[in-house]
Amino acid sequence: MAAILRDILDDLLTSPSTGPCVTCTRHFTPRPPVLHSFPASLDPRLAEALRARGIEQLYSHQAQAFETVATGTSVVVVTPTASGKTLCYNLPVLQALLEQPGARVLYLFPTKALAQDQLAELEQLARQLPELRMFTYDGDTPQDARRAVRARANLVLTNPDMLHSGILPHHTKWAALFQNLRYVVIDELHAYRGVFGSHVADVLRRLRRLCRHYGSSPRFIMASATIANPRELAERITGEPVEEVAESGAPTGDKLFVCYNPPVVNPELGIRAPYLGEAAKLALRFLRERIPTIVFAQSRLATEVLLTSIKTGVADRTGDAGMVRGYRGGYLPTRRRAVEQGLRAGEVLGVVSTNALELGVDIGHLDVAVLAGYPGTIASLWQQSGRAGRRSGPSAAFFVATSAPLDQFMVTHPDYLFGTAPEHARINPDNPFILVNHLKCAAFELPFGAEETFGEVDVRAHLAALEDEALLHRAGGRWHWASETYPADHISLRTVTTDNFLVIDTTSRDEKQTKRRNIIAEVDWGSAFATIHPKAIYLVESVPFEVQELHFREDEEKVAYVKRVNVDYFTDAVSAKGVWILRRLADRGHPAYVAEQGEVLVAEKVVGFKKIKMGTLENVGSGEVELPQQEMQTTSAWLTPTEETLAAISRSRDELIDGLRAVSYLLHHLAPIFLLCDVRDVGSWLGDTTPAETGAVATRESTRRRLLDAERFNPTIYLYDSHAGGIGLAERLFEILPQLLARGLETLEACPCRAGCPSCVGPVNEVGRRAKPIARALLRALTA
């Protein structure tokens, strides 16, 4: 297998069709392990259990983590994928349970699949150990089993969502856990960033508050993939001082990392071959030789499109399309478990996934990773490429760039790609949208004292506001929960709303050909209008279904009814948007523009869809959709060029709008280089400085018309935080705006296209023939 892999790699690097597309390669040489003998304090029964599994020594970071935990300090272990992080927390935990059978431990994983995975791992290790009662506790746990878990378990594996809504509000039933809680283990710490991480930090504030009430003070043991600030994130999430273990002693295999830029097919318009097609071709080269391969796509739709094309290619050659599967959020748990099992058993050779498989679910041994598009962060790039190759033997990873400016920057600046430290994981648990929700939950769990803080935050003003809403009642210097509602039920940790849509296949039949209600997938509220609107083609493992009806009103079950169809196209939603200023918080003057930062209202509406042909990806039709507008308050930075600046560049408002739209596109795609975040964490819009009006309807055309007809021409570029309430990105954007404008001009001048292309200001047919020269003139003026 190793020889075949090397032959294919040699061919790809030297072939006239693919060789010129390779912009750079990096070879990572194998590294031997750094081993330590078992710590002297390790329980002999545990040492015996390790030997039974073929482990005679520990890697240096595993030994260091064990020693650190033994001193009574909280710890975060930060080492690469497949370096044996699991043992860093399993060893001290099992040691504690052997020493103190009455102790309790709580494991938190971001997904149910990881919890199931780790339970299997623990059961293997603890087979010879006495009195270990380990259970998962999540949404899939049957009601009768839940009572047994509460009564018997000394080690509970769960997820933050279940801790938030199923354990903390019922703490009286879990008294034995809270009184004896010795350790809280948090795996995949790097997943707790942005809104989700901010929520989890507040959930852990609630956990620590209840532990104080029950007289326990647990230590935290955390494991994270490589990020820039693991210790800071760990301390922010737990509210505790934390030690960091970052030097890995695990061995690594021989690895080749290849940057691949699809060939230019239209030099005039700067158009490159579709990156999804190129990624599929690369994956097929390996899969046809039966080399285990994972392909990462950047969206659920891209996953399905890639899967369809790879399955077709594999079936043509081997007649066995079943050896390639899809994996993404929205699939039902049974389907995802079947794919994981197939990969571990070697029955599934290839998988096309969103970043859902970036986390450490055990999927066995894979030799090649193909990243279709830049994953959004350097940290994710290394996580995804680390899925190929384990501790020995050769492996390869391919990064296939899209035409977007950020991808093109990465693929043509390998020193930046390979030399930049992974991003900071940012959270803001004090975001008022998030904090107030958890104060409601905390007050439901235990009354708030008059001087009590939440974390380090003085929350008296928030508690008084909740009292005004009649949710809290103040008596005897304490705030008590006063509502009939159950607050945790109405708060989702991962999205703004809690409602998920069920996707139901109306054409499904059982063995007797009787119609049955068959749920085939689940879609979160935020994605629903764009993916399951009426007439949308919804793909499940490349099988197409057409949406017949979407039920979304408050008084009805959230359901999309679909029917199985046989079509050769998929649909892509077209949405309209608007941004309006709510409150100005900061401003900065410049001779050519005014920069401001503050709070805005963002309104978005799905208005139609395009039909895209499978394979060729050409546009073959369109349709209109009537759905309600979705609104969000968030933070933004915005830039308004002065009237003099605009007048010096062009007298035509039409031309200036095209040029400013081009600048917005460019700044949006380059912002993540400075913010160290995912491009999807930021949104952009060209509007004006009109304050928000009630019932304002968002369309691109109406904004253009308003700018063209306005008495005073004040076009404004908005760069806003895509998370409700903001997580601190807009404030940073406001600070780095001059550097961002300078990088925009540098990118534009380095791009060889004549009139605009996807790699600089956007496709010329979308931004107009004069957009690039106008954008260049604007950026020169704004950076002068």
Side-chain angles (χ1 to χ4, degrees):
M1 191 65 83
I4 298 172
L5 176 60
R6 287 198 177 96
D7 288 348
I8 296 175
L9 290 172
D10 287 345
D11 184 49
L12 286 169
L13 296 176
T14 55
S15 147
S17 59
T18 52
C21 300
V22 174
T23 59
C24 91
T25 60
R26 284 289 153 98
H27 181 233
F28 298 94
T29 52
R31 208 179 58 199
V34 180
L35 297 167
H36 281 220
S37 50
F38 293 151
S41 57
L42 187 70
D43 189 294
R45 292 168 291 180
L46 199 44
E48 197 45 51
L50 288 171
R51 288 193 185 98
R53 296 206 62 198
I55 301 169
E56 298 289 338
Q57 290 176 289
L58 298 179
Y59 296 135
S60 56
H61 61 281
Q62 294 168 338
Q64 192 187 343
F66 187 89
E67 305 289 359
T68 308
V69 172
T71 65
T73 314
S74 290
V75 67
V76 58
V77 180
V78 197
T79 54
T81 310
S83 55
K85 285 193 281 280
T86 306
L87 219 48
C88 294
Y89 52 77
N90 280 346
L91 275 194
V93 162
L94 294 175
Q95 173 92 354
L97 293 178
L98 288 170
E99 288 172 352
Q100 280 182 289
R104 296 286 188 272
V105 179
L106 187 66
Y107 276 37
L108 289 179
F109 298 96
T111 65
K112 292 181 204 171
L114 277 168
Q116 296 288 354
D117 231 32
Q118 287 305 324
L119 178 62
E121 173 76 19
L122 272 166
E123 284 172 342
Q124 288 279 318
L125 190 55
R127 201 168 277 166
Q128 288 100 333
L129 303 175
E131 280 307 292
L132 291 177
R133 303 177 302 280
M134 304 172 293
F135 300 95
T136 55
Y137 190 85
D138 57 34
D140 298 338
T141 309
Q143 285 301 330
D144 52 346
R146 293 184 182 199
R147 279 190 295 279
V149 176
R150 287 196 291 265
R152 296 191 58 236
N154 54 10
L155 195 158
V156 177
L157 301 96
T158 188
N159 53 57
D161 314 78
M162 198 64 182
L163 178 63
H164 151 70
S165 62
I167 296 177
L168 298 179
H170 305 291
H171 58 87
T172 51
K173 295 178 181 173
W174 290 87
L177 175 84
F178 288 109
Q179 284 162 358
N180 301 292
L181 192 58
R182 179 91 179 267
Y183 294 119
V184 177
V185 169
I186 305 175
D187 197 8
E188 308 282 353
L189 180 75
H190 55 279
Y192 300 108
R193 58 206 305 161
V195 171
F196 182 43
S198 306
H199 272 296
V200 172
D202 280 332
V203 168
L204 291 177
R205 285 172 172 175
R206 286 160 51 199
L207 171 73
R208 289 171 64 231
R209 184 170 177 258
L210 285 174
C211 287
R212 283 194 297 274
H213 174 73
Y214 283 98
S216 65
S217 178
R219 297 279 75 89
F220 292 85
I221 309 174
M222 292 157 279
S224 171
T226 311
I227 50 174
N229 60 334
R231 184 174 177 175
E232 180 202 341
L233 177 66
E235 291 184 340
R236 193 109 161 87
I237 274 203
T238 61
E240 298 262 330
V242 174
E243 286 293 315
E244 182 179 327
V245 173
E247 198 60 50
S248 172
T252 57
D254 182 275
K255 182 163 216 161
L256 184 69
F257 192 104
V258 180
C259 292
Y260 183 95
N261 205 4
V264 174
V265 291
N266 184 330
E268 169 73 11
L269 299 180
I271 306 262
R272 293 182 178 275
Y275 78 102
L276 290 176
E278 296 298 299
K281 277 185 213 164
L282 287 172
L284 282 166
R285 285 293 299 271
F286 298 104
L287 286 167
R288 283 173 179 159
E289 298 299 334
R290 307 195 79 79
I291 292 172
T293 301
I294 184 165
V295 183
F296 281 103
Q298 302 317 307
S299 69
R300 294 174 181 187
L301 181 57
T303 303
E304 296 291 353
V305 173
L306 261 172
L307 180 62
T308 306
S309 141
I310 291 171
K311 272 186 166 222
T312 308
V314 168
D316 288 349
R317 181 68 178 262
T318 64
D320 178 17
M323 72 181 198
V324 183
R325 299 290 303 266
Y327 191 102
R328 62 173 177 81
Y331 285 179
L332 298 180
T334 46
R335 185 185 288 269
R336 291 209 297 264
R337 293 307 84 77
V339 176
E340 291 159 19
Q341 180 56 43
L343 282 162
R344 282 197 294 270
E347 294 155 10
V348 174
L349 269 183
V351 63
V352 183
S353 174
T354 55
N355 60 3
L357 275 181
E358 196 177 293
L359 299 172
V361 179
D362 179 13
I363 51 171
H365 180 95
L366 298 159
D367 292 324
V368 177
V370 177
L371 283 57
Y374 180 61
T377 63
I378 298 277
S380 283
L381 180 89
W382 294 120
Q383 271 287 96
Q384 293 184 4
S385 62
R387 274 311 208 165
R390 298 317 246 179
R391 292 171 195 164
S392 62
S395 64
F398 285 79
F399 158 42
V400 182
T402 72
S403 295
L406 180 57
D407 281 54
Q408 288 301 309
F409 175 83
M410 292 297 179
V411 83
T412 53
H413 292 72
D415 290 343
Y416 181 92
L417 189 70
F418 293 110
T420 305
E423 293 73 11
H424 288 73
R426 298 182 193 283
I427 61 167
N428 179 13
D430 305 334
N431 170 329
F433 284 83
I434 293 170
L435 179 73
V436 169
N437 277 330
H438 289 283
L439 286 180
K440 292 178 194 173
C441 298
F444 176 90
E445 289 149 13
L446 285 177
F448 260 98
E451 300 302 312
E452 190 181 342
T453 59
F454 190 62
E456 304 297 313
V457 187
D458 180 345
V459 291
R460 284 173 296 186
H462 292 305
L463 295 171
L466 290 171
E467 185 184 14
D468 293 343
E469 290 178 42
L471 292 172
L472 299 184
H473 169 67
R474 194 170 182 184
R478 289 158 77 81
W479 274 282
H480 300 259
W481 182 250
S483 169
E484 294 293 309
T485 60
Y486 176 65
D489 251 7
H490 302 287
I491 298 159
S492 161
L493 303 189
R494 298 173 195 255
T495 54
V496 183
T497 66
T498 53
D499 292 325
N500 276 359
F501 285 78
L502 295 177
V503 181
I504 296 177
D505 176 13
T506 57
T507 49
S508 181
R509 302 275 190 280
D510 62 17
E511 309 81 63
K512 297 176 182 171
Q513 292 302 301
T514 312
K515 263 195 177 187
R516 64 190 176 106
R517 174 186 160 110
N518 183 27
I519 299 169
I520 57 166
E522 212 176 343
V523 178
D524 63 276
W525 177 274
S527 318
F529 287 1
T531 54
I532 49 171
H533 55 77
K535 301 197 197 98
I537 297 297
Y538 185 74
L539 296 154
V540 178
E541 280 214 83
S542 75
V543 175
F545 295 85
E546 185 179 63
V547 180
Q548 307 293 287
E549 296 172 50
L550 178 67
H551 293 208
F552 54 81
R553 292 188 172 76
E554 275 184 30
D555 56 349
E556 57 187 2
E557 186 187 16
K558 308 291 182 290
V559 174
Y561 290 106
V562 302
K563 70 172 183 184
R564 176 78 193 271
V565 289
N566 191 5
V567 294
D568 64 349
Y569 66 88
F570 60 93
T571 52
D572 196 10
V574 176
S575 60
K577 187 162 58 172
V579 178
W580 294 271
I581 297 167
L582 294 173
R583 191 155 70 116
R584 291 172 163 84
L585 297 173
D587 60 62
R588 187 174 58 236
H590 179 279
Y593 63 87
V594 175
E596 294 180 281
Q597 186 261 316
E599 293 172 0
V600 296
L601 176 73
V602 178
E604 200 154 359
K605 185 176 183 176
V606 175
V607 292
F609 59 89
K610 293 183 285 194
K611 294 180 178 178
I612 314 284
K613 191 174 174 65
M614 287 283 187
T616 62
L617 302 183
E618 61 192 301
N619 192 335
V620 291
S622 62
E624 290 183 6
V625 176
E626 191 54 55
L627 288 169
Q629 181 163 294
Q630 293 177 293
E631 297 185 353
M632 166 181 81
Q633 285 186 29
T634 186
T635 53
S636 178
W638 58 89
L639 176 154
T640 310
T642 63
E643 289 181 17
E644 296 73 26
T645 304
L646 296 173
I649 289 166
S650 173
R651 289 282 168 197
S652 160
R653 286 189 179 186
D654 254 324
E655 278 190 3
L656 287 166
I657 291 170
D658 285 345
L660 285 159
R661 278 212 173 130
V663 172
S664 307
Y665 175 90
L666 187 57
L667 298 184
H668 176 192
H669 283 86
L670 294 176
I673 296 171
F674 295 90
L675 299 177
L676 301 174
C677 69
D678 192 312
V679 71
R680 288 161 288 206
D681 291 331
V682 181
S684 65
W685 181 247
L686 179 69
D688 54 18
T689 50
T690 316
E693 306 162 17
T694 48
V697 175
T699 75
R700 191 172 157 130
E701 288 65 37
S702 67
T703 307
R704 186 181 193 99
R705 179 53 43 208
R706 197 167 68 225
L707 284 168
L708 289 171
D709 296 345
E711 194 174 318
R712 194 162 154 258
F713 186 53
N714 61 350
T716 301
I717 294 171
Y718 291 90
L719 294 170
Y720 62 85
D721 195 317
S722 296
H723 305 284
I727 54 168
L729 299 176
E731 293 82 345
R732 179 88 183 108
L733 269 167
F734 179 66
E735 284 170 31
I736 58 95
L737 201 53
Q739 295 101 291
L740 180 58
L741 290 164
R743 177 60 62 79
L745 179 60
E746 187 188 310
T747 304
L748 196 61
E749 294 191 325
C751 188
C753 74
R754 284 171 53 189
C757 72
S759 304
C760 59
V761 296
V764 68
N765 56 349
E766 284 182 27
V767 291
R769 288 239 159 235
R770 294 277 299 142
K772 185 170 181 178
I774 297 286
R776 189 188 291 118
L778 279 164
L779 285 167
R780 281 177 180 161
L782 298 175
T783 53

